[in-house]
Amino acid sequence: MSNLVQKTRKIYSEYPRAFWIYNIIVFIDRLGGFMLYPFFALYLTQKYDIGMSTVGLIFGVFSLTGMIGSALGGAIADRMGRKTVIIFSLILSSLSALGMGFAPTLGIFIAVVVLVGTLSSIGHPAHEAVVADLLPQEKRAEGYGIIRVVFNLAVIIAPPIAGLLIANSYLTLFLVDAVISLISAAIVLLALPETKPQAPAHARPETMKQTFAGYGRVFRDTPFLAFIGVTVMMTLVYMNMNSTLGVYLRDQHDLPEIRYGWLLSINAIIVVLFQFWVTRRLEKYKPLLMMAAGSLLYAIGFAMYGFVPTFALFILAMIIITIGEMVVSPFQQSLVASFAPEHMRGRYMAVSGLSWSISFTVGPYFAGLLLDSANPGLLWGFCGLVGMLATLGFIVLNKTYRSPAPVIEPAATD
């Protein structure tokens, strides 16, 4: 026991205090998000009596507006700092939860998604940039791995709480998420220091026009754009985890919501127990090859749902997907940070977010069309195919892209 305590203290001392404060914020915020988000498609199909293709269109609208918000947020985070942007986005996220929970019609629900979805997405690039600000390059993959553990602790706890709240009403779920977002905003305000790197004393500050014009440089970074393109393919596969999988298992295999929640909890428990261990053992390998390995596991795991018939095999498929997730996630975020010049991290993180935004714009709609078709299982065959293409893409990138040499940066102090 004392040995475990010593190891824990050693790991804690390797990172600045602000990093651990940020982890607390991630845990609280994600606790609210994962009470709501995995059950989103189930809520929409039940309340508004719509098919999955319509749900896919709603996800697409949310992603399109999120792209706009993320682009604004990336530029503002580089210009004004991370802290203000994160607080603003959390307050708007709270308002969006209230708006969606009280929306009486599908039209009003979509209007809320368009308006507040844009503004609440402003904080995403700032969140991503905080970790890169706080940690030197050689610690980032491991640091993102720790955040994955904290993130998934929230995932373990959230579904059972959500189940209890849903038993009362879905509205309660939205109300609790709104309150949690406000609590997170208060902690950022009171405890998280500003992490934006200080510009050199002789440097002239950018104008707002120059800040937004900086996106031109990002979009001229060909290796980075190639990485984003392949990541989009991988994410098109993974996005089914929290959009279509629950509906497919309910409608095709009569799997109740609570057992779908168990699958998500199994995913989260494995990450909590093994993510840090996996990251430490894989960090010596080439990041792009690790992305390829994770994409291959996604292809196998999601394809399995097209032909396995029992809950035990659903669990096996989830375990394979989860291993892929543990390989992919810390390396993906660390790679983005390695592409980005220090003064442009917010904008690079914003463009990196396109891999999710594009995937959630087109993916759920076309996946919904397949689920609404005569042969819903085809979806998982397409997932296997796209996952294999992403695997090949990362292998090719590994042969053509040479990442910059590590730059030893001092970690941010409290």
Side-chain angles (χ1 to χ4, degrees), residues 27 30-31 34 38 145-160 238 241-242 260-276 315 318-319 321-323 325-326:
F27 173 76
R30 289 298 84 201
L31 189 64
F34 267 91
I146 291 172
I147 289 174
R148 291 271 307 146
V149 172
V150 172
F151 185 98
N152 280 276
L153 277 172
V155 175
I156 293 170
I157 298 169
Y238 182 77
M241 172 87 88
N242 292 316
Y260 171 59
W262 292 351
L263 286 177
L264 296 179
S265 293
I266 288 168
N267 166 272
I269 289 168
I270 293 172
V271 171
V272 168
L273 293 177
F274 298 108
Q275 178 70 75
F276 189 72
I315 293 174
M318 183 60 71
I319 290 171
I321 291 167
T322 304
I323 295 171
E325 197 178 335
M326 288 192 293

Side-chain angles (χ1 to χ4, degrees), residues 226-242:
F227 171 73
I228 295 301
V230 179
T231 303
V232 167
M233 289 193 289
M234 180 191 72
T235 310
L236 280 169
V237 177
Y238 182 77
M239 66 90 198
N240 289 281
M241 172 87 88
N242 292 316

